[in-house]
Structures are given as C-alpha cells and as structure tokens.
PDB file of all heavy atoms in Angstrom:
ATOM      1  N   CYS W   1       0.840  -1.190   0.001  1.00 80.00           N
ATOM      2  CA  CYS W   1       0.002  -0.003   0.000  1.00 80.00           C
ATOM      3  C   CYS W   1       0.877   1.240   0.001  1.00 80.00           C
ATOM      4  O   CYS W   1       1.582   1.511   0.969  1.00 80.00           O
ATOM      5  CB  CYS W   1      -0.903   0.030   1.228  1.00 80.00           C
ATOM      6  SG  CYS W   1      -2.124  -1.289   1.237  1.00 80.00           S
ATOM      7  N   LEU W   2       0.850   1.975  -1.105  1.00 94.00           N
ATOM      8  CA  LEU W   2       1.569   3.235  -1.191  1.00 94.00           C
ATOM      9  C   LEU W   2       0.566   4.367  -1.151  1.00 94.00           C
ATOM     10  O   LEU W   2      -0.560   4.219  -1.634  1.00 94.00           O
ATOM     11  CB  LEU W   2       2.390   3.309  -2.475  1.00 94.00           C
ATOM     12  CG  LEU W   2       3.460   2.240  -2.641  1.00 94.00           C
ATOM     13  CD1 LEU W   2       4.098   2.344  -4.008  1.00 94.00           C
ATOM     14  CD2 LEU W   2       4.504   2.352  -1.551  1.00 94.00           C
ATOM     15  N   SER W   3       0.953   5.488  -0.579  1.00 97.00           N
ATOM     16  CA  SER W   3       0.019   6.596  -0.407  1.00 97.00           C
ATOM     17  C   SER W   3       0.627   7.898  -0.899  1.00 97.00           C
ATOM     18  O   SER W   3       1.825   8.027  -1.048  1.00 97.00           O
ATOM     19  CB  SER W   3      -0.351   6.742   1.074  1.00 97.00           C
ATOM     20  OG  SER W   3      -0.987   5.591   1.544  1.00 97.00           O
ATOM     21  N   THR W   4      -0.247   8.876  -1.097  1.00 98.00           N
ATOM     22  CA  THR W   4       0.169  10.250  -1.359  1.00 98.00           C
ATOM     23  C   THR W   4      -0.103  11.047  -0.097  1.00 98.00           C
ATOM     24  O   THR W   4      -1.161  10.914   0.503  1.00 98.00           O
ATOM     25  CB  THR W   4      -0.619  10.848  -2.543  1.00 98.00           C
ATOM     26  OG1 THR W   4      -0.360  10.060  -3.702  1.00 98.00           O
ATOM     27  CG2 THR W   4      -0.194  12.282  -2.818  1.00 98.00           C
ATOM     28  N   ALA W   5       0.864  11.866   0.319  1.00 98.00           N
ATOM     29  CA  ALA W   5       0.726  12.684   1.515  1.00 98.00           C
ATOM     30  C   ALA W   5       0.354  14.105   1.099  1.00 98.00           C
ATOM     31  O   ALA W   5       0.894  14.652   0.134  1.00 98.00           O
ATOM     32  CB  ALA W   5       2.020  12.698   2.311  1.00 98.00           C
ATOM     33  N   TYR W   6      -0.578  14.692   1.857  1.00 98.00           N
ATOM     34  CA  TYR W   6      -1.085  16.028   1.580  1.00 98.00           C
ATOM     35  C   TYR W   6      -1.005  16.892   2.832  1.00 98.00           C
ATOM     36  O   TYR W   6      -1.078  16.378   3.948  1.00 98.00           O
ATOM     37  CB  TYR W   6      -2.555  15.976   1.141  1.00 98.00           C
ATOM     38  CG  TYR W   6      -2.803  15.187  -0.101  1.00 98.00           C
ATOM     39  CD1 TYR W   6      -3.122  13.838  -0.039  1.00 98.00           C
ATOM     40  CD2 TYR W   6      -2.739  15.787  -1.350  1.00 98.00           C
ATOM     41  CE1 TYR W   6      -3.366  13.110  -1.180  1.00 98.00           C
ATOM     42  CE2 TYR W   6      -2.984  15.059  -2.507  1.00 98.00           C
ATOM     43  CZ  TYR W   6      -3.302  13.718  -2.420  1.00 98.00           C
ATOM     44  OH  TYR W   6      -3.540  12.998  -3.548  1.00 98.00           O
ATOM     45  N   LYS W   7      -0.931  18.213   2.654  1.00 97.00           N
ATOM     46  CA  LYS W   7      -1.002  19.169   3.758  1.00 97.00           C
ATOM     47  C   LYS W   7      -2.462  19.628   3.902  1.00 97.00           C
ATOM     48  O   LYS W   7      -3.032  20.194   2.960  1.00 97.00           O
ATOM     49  CB  LYS W   7      -0.147  20.399   3.488  1.00 97.00           C
ATOM     50  CG  LYS W   7       1.321  20.163   3.593  1.00 97.00           C
ATOM     51  CD  LYS W   7       2.074  21.472   3.391  1.00 97.00           C
ATOM     52  CE  LYS W   7       3.556  21.244   3.498  1.00 97.00           C
ATOM     53  NZ  LYS W   7       4.317  22.489   3.300  1.00 97.00           N
ATOM     54  N   ASN W   8      -3.067  19.359   5.036  1.00 97.00           N
ATOM     55  CA  ASN W   8      -4.366  19.863   5.459  1.00 97.00           C
ATOM     56  C   ASN W   8      -5.587  19.397   4.666  1.00 97.00           C
ATOM     57  O   ASN W   8      -6.664  19.283   5.221  1.00 97.00           O
ATOM     58  CB  ASN W   8      -4.374  21.380   5.552  1.00 97.00           C
ATOM     59  CG  ASN W   8      -3.324  21.890   6.518  1.00 97.00           C
ATOM     60  OD1 ASN W   8      -3.221  21.404   7.636  1.00 97.00           O
ATOM     61  ND2 ASN W   8      -2.526  22.843   6.090  1.00 97.00           N
ATOM     62  N   GLU W   9      -5.469  19.147   3.371  1.00 97.00           N
ATOM     63  CA  GLU W   9      -6.592  18.697   2.558  1.00 97.00           C
ATOM     64  C   GLU W   9      -6.079  18.015   1.291  1.00 97.00           C
ATOM     65  O   GLU W   9      -4.921  18.204   0.914  1.00 97.00           O
ATOM     66  CB  GLU W   9      -7.494  19.871   2.168  1.00 97.00           C
ATOM     67  CG  GLU W   9      -6.802  20.877   1.274  1.00 97.00           C
ATOM     68  CD  GLU W   9      -7.700  22.061   0.904  1.00 97.00           C
ATOM     69  OE1 GLU W   9      -8.863  22.094   1.335  1.00 97.00           O
ATOM     70  OE2 GLU W   9      -7.219  22.937   0.192  1.00 97.00           O
ATOM     71  N   ILE W  10      -6.938  17.257   0.653  1.00 97.00           N
ATOM     72  CA  ILE W  10      -6.538  16.563  -0.571  1.00 97.00           C
ATOM     73  C   ILE W  10      -6.789  17.457  -1.774  1.00 97.00           C
ATOM     74  O   ILE W  10      -7.930  17.805  -2.079  1.00 97.00           O
ATOM     75  CB  ILE W  10      -7.319  15.237  -0.721  1.00 97.00           C
ATOM     76  CG1 ILE W  10      -6.990  14.304   0.433  1.00 97.00           C
ATOM     77  CG2 ILE W  10      -7.003  14.601  -2.055  1.00 97.00           C
ATOM     78  CD1 ILE W  10      -7.793  13.024   0.449  1.00 97.00           C
ATOM     79  N   SER W  11      -5.688  17.868  -2.413  1.00 97.00           N
ATOM     80  CA  SER W  11      -5.751  18.601  -3.677  1.00 97.00           C
ATOM     81  C   SER W  11      -4.376  18.528  -4.331  1.00 97.00           C
ATOM     82  O   SER W  11      -3.379  18.225  -3.661  1.00 97.00           O
ATOM     83  CB  SER W  11      -6.164  20.071  -3.462  1.00 97.00           C
ATOM     84  OG  SER W  11      -5.121  20.805  -2.884  1.00 97.00           O
ATOM     85  N   GLU W  12      -4.328  18.806  -5.614  1.00 96.00           N
ATOM     86  CA  GLU W  12      -3.033  18.771  -6.313  1.00 96.00           C
ATOM     87  C   GLU W  12      -2.047  19.784  -5.725  1.00 96.00           C
ATOM     88  O   GLU W  12      -0.851  19.530  -5.649  1.00 96.00           O
ATOM     89  CB  GLU W  12      -3.227  19.066  -7.808  1.00 96.00           C
ATOM     90  CG  GLU W  12      -3.822  17.911  -8.580  1.00 96.00           C
ATOM     91  CD  GLU W  12      -3.882  18.207 -10.068  1.00 96.00           C
ATOM     92  OE1 GLU W  12      -2.994  18.927 -10.581  1.00 96.00           O
ATOM     93  OE2 GLU W  12      -4.817  17.733 -10.703  1.00 96.00           O
ATOM     94  N   GLU W  13      -2.557  20.921  -5.279  1.00 97.00           N
ATOM     95  CA  GLU W  13      -1.705  21.994  -4.761  1.00 97.00           C
ATOM     96  C   GLU W  13      -1.106  21.657  -3.393  1.00 97.00           C
ATOM     97  O   GLU W  13      -0.091  22.224  -3.010  1.00 97.00           O
ATOM     98  CB  GLU W  13      -2.501  23.300  -4.640  1.00 97.00           C
ATOM     99  CG  GLU W  13      -2.955  23.866  -5.967  1.00 97.00           C
ATOM    100  CD  GLU W  13      -4.222  23.190  -6.491  1.00 97.00           C
ATOM    101  OE1 GLU W  13      -5.003  22.665  -5.679  1.00 97.00           O
ATOM    102  OE2 GLU W  13      -4.402  23.177  -7.716  1.00 97.00           O
ATOM    103  N   THR W  14      -1.744  20.765  -2.638  1.00 97.00           N
ATOM    104  CA  THR W  14      -1.268  20.465  -1.281  1.00 97.00           C
ATOM    105  C   THR W  14      -0.506  19.141  -1.184  1.00 97.00           C
ATOM    106  O   THR W  14      -0.105  18.744  -0.092  1.00 97.00           O
ATOM    107  CB  THR W  14      -2.455  20.439  -0.293  1.00 97.00           C
ATOM    108  OG1 THR W  14      -3.367  19.396  -0.680  1.00 97.00           O
ATOM    109  CG2 THR W  14      -3.163  21.772  -0.243  1.00 97.00           C
ATOM    110  N   ALA W  15      -0.270  18.477  -2.306  1.00 98.00           N
ATOM    111  CA  ALA W  15       0.464  17.214  -2.296  1.00 98.00           C
ATOM    112  C   ALA W  15       1.915  17.462  -1.867  1.00 98.00           C
ATOM    113  O   ALA W  15       2.566  18.389  -2.338  1.00 98.00           O
ATOM    114  CB  ALA W  15       0.431  16.548  -3.664  1.00 98.00           C
ATOM    115  N   ILE W  16       2.391  16.629  -0.942  1.00 97.00           N
ATOM    116  CA  ILE W  16       3.758  16.737  -0.438  1.00 97.00           C
ATOM    117  C   ILE W  16       4.660  15.686  -1.083  1.00 97.00           C
ATOM    118  O   ILE W  16       5.740  15.983  -1.551  1.00 97.00           O
ATOM    119  CB  ILE W  16       3.806  16.533   1.091  1.00 97.00           C
ATOM    120  CG1 ILE W  16       2.911  17.527   1.787  1.00 97.00           C
ATOM    121  CG2 ILE W  16       5.233  16.617   1.611  1.00 97.00           C
ATOM    122  CD1 ILE W  16       2.684  17.209   3.256  1.00 97.00           C
ATOM    123  N   MET W  17       4.186  14.442  -1.102  1.00 98.00           N
ATOM    124  CA  MET W  17       5.002  13.339  -1.605  1.00 98.00           C
ATOM    125  C   MET W  17       4.106  12.206  -2.094  1.00 98.00           C
ATOM    126  O   MET W  17       3.093  11.902  -1.461  1.00 98.00           O
ATOM    127  CB  MET W  17       5.933  12.833  -0.504  1.00 98.00           C
ATOM    128  CG  MET W  17       6.805  11.654  -0.899  1.00 98.00           C
ATOM    129  SD  MET W  17       7.908  11.119   0.433  1.00 98.00           S
ATOM    130  CE  MET W  17       9.332  12.154   0.098  1.00 98.00           C
ATOM    131  N   ASN W  18       4.489  11.594  -3.192  1.00 97.00           N
ATOM    132  CA  ASN W  18       3.805  10.418  -3.733  1.00 97.00           C
ATOM    133  C   ASN W  18       4.545   9.147  -3.345  1.00 97.00           C
ATOM    134  O   ASN W  18       5.715   9.194  -2.967  1.00 97.00           O
ATOM    135  CB  ASN W  18       3.727  10.503  -5.268  1.00 97.00           C
ATOM    136  CG  ASN W  18       2.891  11.651  -5.743  1.00 97.00           C
ATOM    137  OD1 ASN W  18       1.809  11.918  -5.222  1.00 97.00           O
ATOM    138  ND2 ASN W  18       3.392  12.381  -6.721  1.00 97.00           N
ATOM    139  N   ASN W  19       3.872   8.034  -3.468  1.00 97.00           N
ATOM    140  CA  ASN W  19       4.469   6.709  -3.229  1.00 97.00           C
ATOM    141  C   ASN W  19       5.061   6.566  -1.835  1.00 97.00           C
ATOM    142  O   ASN W  19       6.117   5.954  -1.661  1.00 97.00           O
ATOM    143  CB  ASN W  19       5.507   6.381  -4.299  1.00 97.00           C
ATOM    144  CG  ASN W  19       4.910   6.331  -5.678  1.00 97.00           C
ATOM    145  OD1 ASN W  19       3.814   5.807  -5.867  1.00 97.00           O
ATOM    146  ND2 ASN W  19       5.585   6.912  -6.641  1.00 97.00           N
ATOM    147  N   VAL W  20       4.395   7.155  -0.829  1.00 97.00           N
ATOM    148  CA  VAL W  20       4.868   7.056   0.555  1.00 97.00           C
ATOM    149  C   VAL W  20       4.658   5.621   1.028  1.00 97.00           C
ATOM    150  O   VAL W  20       3.556   5.076   0.916  1.00 97.00           O
ATOM    151  CB  VAL W  20       4.106   8.048   1.463  1.00 97.00           C
ATOM    152  CG1 VAL W  20       4.500   7.844   2.916  1.00 97.00           C
ATOM    153  CG2 VAL W  20       4.369   9.478   1.022  1.00 97.00           C
ATOM    154  N   MET W  21       5.730   5.025   1.560  1.00 96.00           N
ATOM    155  CA  MET W  21       5.623   3.656   2.049  1.00 96.00           C
ATOM    156  C   MET W  21       5.836   3.565   3.539  1.00 96.00           C
ATOM    157  O   MET W  21       5.517   2.557   4.161  1.00 96.00           O
ATOM    158  CB  MET W  21       6.612   2.744   1.327  1.00 96.00           C
ATOM    159  CG  MET W  21       8.051   3.033   1.603  1.00 96.00           C
ATOM    160  SD  MET W  21       9.071   1.746   0.884  1.00 96.00           S
ATOM    161  CE  MET W  21      10.575   2.037   1.787  1.00 96.00           C
ATOM    162  N   GLU W  22       6.384   4.638   4.151  1.00 96.00           N
ATOM    163  CA  GLU W  22       6.666   4.601   5.579  1.00 96.00           C
ATOM    164  C   GLU W  22       6.496   6.001   6.158  1.00 96.00           C
ATOM    165  O   GLU W  22       6.836   6.999   5.529  1.00 96.00           O
ATOM    166  CB  GLU W  22       8.105   4.134   5.798  1.00 96.00           C
ATOM    167  CG  GLU W  22       8.464   3.832   7.203  1.00 96.00           C
ATOM    168  CD  GLU W  22       9.851   3.205   7.313  1.00 96.00           C
ATOM    169  OE1 GLU W  22      10.310   2.553   6.359  1.00 96.00           O
ATOM    170  OE2 GLU W  22      10.469   3.387   8.363  1.00 96.00           O
ATOM    171  N   ILE W  23       5.950   6.058   7.379  1.00 96.00           N
ATOM    172  CA  ILE W  23       5.743   7.323   8.078  1.00 96.00           C
ATOM    173  C   ILE W  23       6.291   7.166   9.492  1.00 96.00           C
ATOM    174  O   ILE W  23       5.955   6.210  10.177  1.00 96.00           O
ATOM    175  CB  ILE W  23       4.256   7.699   8.153  1.00 96.00           C
ATOM    176  CG1 ILE W  23       3.662   7.817   6.746  1.00 96.00           C
ATOM    177  CG2 ILE W  23       4.072   9.000   8.925  1.00 96.00           C
ATOM    178  CD1 ILE W  23       2.158   7.947   6.732  1.00 96.00           C
ATOM    179  N   GLU W  24       7.123   8.113   9.901  1.00 96.00           N
ATOM    180  CA  GLU W  24       7.663   8.137  11.263  1.00 96.00           C
ATOM    181  C   GLU W  24       7.192   9.422  11.932  1.00 96.00           C
ATOM    182  O   GLU W  24       7.257  10.495  11.322  1.00 96.00           O
ATOM    183  CB  GLU W  24       9.198   8.084  11.239  1.00 96.00           C
ATOM    184  CG  GLU W  24       9.763   6.845  10.615  1.00 96.00           C
ATOM    185  CD  GLU W  24      11.280   6.882  10.464  1.00 96.00           C
ATOM    186  OE1 GLU W  24      11.906   7.866  10.904  1.00 96.00           O
ATOM    187  OE2 GLU W  24      11.825   5.934   9.871  1.00 96.00           O
ATOM    188  N   CYS W  25       6.720   9.323  13.161  1.00 93.00           N
ATOM    189  CA  CYS W  25       6.257  10.489  13.916  1.00 93.00           C
ATOM    190  C   CYS W  25       7.091  10.643  15.169  1.00 93.00           C
ATOM    191  O   CYS W  25       7.301   9.681  15.902  1.00 93.00           O
ATOM    192  CB  CYS W  25       4.792  10.323  14.314  1.00 93.00           C
ATOM    193  SG  CYS W  25       3.681  10.095  12.927  1.00 93.00           S
ATOM    194  N   SER W  26       7.584  11.872  15.404  1.00 90.00           N
ATOM    195  CA  SER W  26       8.371  12.167  16.585  1.00 90.00           C
ATOM    196  C   SER W  26       8.090  13.596  16.988  1.00 90.00           C
ATOM    197  O   SER W  26       8.376  14.517  16.220  1.00 90.00           O
ATOM    198  CB  SER W  26       9.852  11.967  16.294  1.00 90.00           C
ATOM    199  OG  SER W  26      10.619  12.301  17.419  1.00 90.00           O
ATOM    200  N   ASP W  27       7.530  13.768  18.190  1.00 88.00           N
ATOM    201  CA  ASP W  27       7.154  15.110  18.672  1.00 88.00           C
ATOM    202  C   ASP W  27       6.273  15.780  17.631  1.00 88.00           C
ATOM    203  O   ASP W  27       5.219  15.288  17.309  1.00 88.00           O
ATOM    204  CB  ASP W  27       8.387  15.931  19.030  1.00 88.00           C
ATOM    205  CG  ASP W  27       9.193  15.316  20.163  1.00 88.00           C
ATOM    206  OD1 ASP W  27       8.544  14.774  21.103  1.00 88.00           O
ATOM    207  OD2 ASP W  27      10.426  15.360  20.123  1.00 88.00           O
ATOM    208  N   ASN W  28       6.712  16.891  17.084  1.00 92.00           N
ATOM    209  CA  ASN W  28       5.926  17.643  16.110  1.00 92.00           C
ATOM    210  C   ASN W  28       6.451  17.464  14.690  1.00 92.00           C
ATOM    211  O   ASN W  28       6.182  18.266  13.813  1.00 92.00           O
ATOM    212  CB  ASN W  28       5.920  19.140  16.513  1.00 92.00           C
ATOM    213  CG  ASN W  28       4.785  19.895  15.896  1.00 92.00           C
ATOM    214  OD1 ASN W  28       3.705  19.353  15.694  1.00 92.00           O
ATOM    215  ND2 ASN W  28       5.017  21.154  15.606  1.00 92.00           N
ATOM    216  N   GLN W  29       7.256  16.413  14.446  1.00 96.00           N
ATOM    217  CA  GLN W  29       7.845  16.154  13.128  1.00 96.00           C
ATOM    218  C   GLN W  29       7.265  14.864  12.534  1.00 96.00           C
ATOM    219  O   GLN W  29       7.180  13.848  13.219  1.00 96.00           O
ATOM    220  CB  GLN W  29       9.355  16.011  13.228  1.00 96.00           C
ATOM    221  CG  GLN W  29      10.094  17.297  13.523  1.00 96.00           C
ATOM    222  CD  GLN W  29      10.005  18.285  12.376  1.00 96.00           C
ATOM    223  OE1 GLN W  29      10.151  17.937  11.209  1.00 96.00           O
ATOM    224  NE2 GLN W  29       9.748  19.533  12.709  1.00 96.00           N
ATOM    225  N   ILE W  30       6.896  14.936  11.273  1.00 97.00           N
ATOM    226  CA  ILE W  30       6.462  13.770  10.523  1.00 97.00           C
ATOM    227  C   ILE W  30       7.506  13.548   9.439  1.00 97.00           C
ATOM    228  O   ILE W  30       7.829  14.448   8.668  1.00 97.00           O
ATOM    229  CB  ILE W  30       5.097  14.005   9.842  1.00 97.00           C
ATOM    230  CG1 ILE W  30       4.061  14.529  10.837  1.00 97.00           C
ATOM    231  CG2 ILE W  30       4.624  12.746   9.132  1.00 97.00           C
ATOM    232  CD1 ILE W  30       3.642  13.562  11.885  1.00 97.00           C
ATOM    233  N   ILE W  31       8.048  12.346   9.384  1.00 97.00           N
ATOM    234  CA  ILE W  31       9.029  11.997   8.349  1.00 97.00           C
ATOM    235  C   ILE W  31       8.364  11.013   7.399  1.00 97.00           C
ATOM    236  O   ILE W  31       7.903   9.940   7.816  1.00 97.00           O
ATOM    237  CB  ILE W  31      10.304  11.404   8.952  1.00 97.00           C
ATOM    238  CG1 ILE W  31      10.955  12.430   9.885  1.00 97.00           C
ATOM    239  CG2 ILE W  31      11.283  10.977   7.849  1.00 97.00           C
ATOM    240  CD1 ILE W  31      12.067  11.891  10.724  1.00 97.00           C
ATOM    241  N   LEU W  32       8.313  11.407   6.132  1.00 97.00           N
ATOM    242  CA  LEU W  32       7.732  10.577   5.072  1.00 97.00           C
ATOM    243  C   LEU W  32       8.880   9.951   4.287  1.00 97.00           C
ATOM    244  O   LEU W  32       9.851  10.635   3.959  1.00 97.00           O
ATOM    245  CB  LEU W  32       6.875  11.429   4.140  1.00 97.00           C
ATOM    246  CG  LEU W  32       5.785  12.259   4.800  1.00 97.00           C
ATOM    247  CD1 LEU W  32       5.209  13.254   3.794  1.00 97.00           C
ATOM    248  CD2 LEU W  32       4.705  11.362   5.364  1.00 97.00           C
ATOM    249  N   ILE W  33       8.746   8.668   3.968  1.00 97.00           N
ATOM    250  CA  ILE W  33       9.768   7.961   3.188  1.00 97.00           C
ATOM    251  C   ILE W  33       9.056   7.313   2.011  1.00 97.00           C
ATOM    252  O   ILE W  33       8.083   6.571   2.188  1.00 97.00           O
ATOM    253  CB  ILE W  33      10.492   6.905   4.046  1.00 97.00           C
ATOM    254  CG1 ILE W  33      11.084   7.583   5.295  1.00 97.00           C
ATOM    255  CG2 ILE W  33      11.561   6.189   3.223  1.00 97.00           C
ATOM    256  CD1 ILE W  33      11.561   6.620   6.350  1.00 97.00           C
ATOM    257  N   ASP W  34       9.554   7.601   0.805  1.00 97.00           N
ATOM    258  CA  ASP W  34       8.891   7.048  -0.388  1.00 97.00           C
ATOM    259  C   ASP W  34       9.537   5.752  -0.840  1.00 97.00           C
ATOM    260  O   ASP W  34      10.501   5.258  -0.240  1.00 97.00           O
ATOM    261  CB  ASP W  34       8.816   8.089  -1.515  1.00 97.00           C
ATOM    262  CG  ASP W  34      10.136   8.352  -2.229  1.00 97.00           C
ATOM    263  OD1 ASP W  34      11.153   7.708  -1.909  1.00 97.00           O
ATOM    264  OD2 ASP W  34      10.141   9.220  -3.115  1.00 97.00           O
ATOM    265  N   LEU W  35       9.017   5.199  -1.890  1.00 95.00           N
ATOM    266  CA  LEU W  35       9.445   3.909  -2.429  1.00 95.00           C
ATOM    267  C   LEU W  35      10.919   3.891  -2.811  1.00 95.00           C
ATOM    268  O   LEU W  35      11.576   2.854  -2.731  1.00 95.00           O
ATOM    269  CB  LEU W  35       8.574   3.565  -3.640  1.00 95.00           C
ATOM    270  CG  LEU W  35       8.697   2.196  -4.248  1.00 95.00           C
ATOM    271  CD1 LEU W  35       8.355   1.119  -3.220  1.00 95.00           C
ATOM    272  CD2 LEU W  35       7.779   2.066  -5.445  1.00 95.00           C
TER     273      LEU W  35
END
C-alpha cells in the first residue's frame, strides 16, 4: 500500500510526496519515506 501525503486537505496543490511507504512520527515532526 503506497500513499500520497497532503497538507491539510486533498488537492493537487497540497500534495507533499507520492508513493509514501513509511511514516515516522516524533514530537511535532512527521518523516515521510517514499518507495
């Protein structure tokens, strides 16, 4: 399962990264890792 990450809402303008396979959360930081 690969995902697209967005800021605040789903739209082309708010896309951050495609093909996200892993998400790490630490304090107020989100780390996205793609394929």
Side-chain angles (χ1 to χ4, degrees):
C1 294
L2 299 175
S3 298
T4 300
Y6 299 92
K7 287 183 180 179
N8 301 312
E9 65 181 359
I10 297 175
S11 73
E12 285 185 32
E13 295 81 26
T14 62
I16 303 168
M17 179 179 270
N18 295 316
N19 299 318
V20 174
M21 66 172 197
E22 190 173 332
I23 301 170
E24 298 173 3
C25 301
S26 177
D27 297 322
N28 200 33
Q29 290 292 316
I30 309 292
I31 300 170
L32 306 169
I33 304 168
D34 75 2
L35 189 59

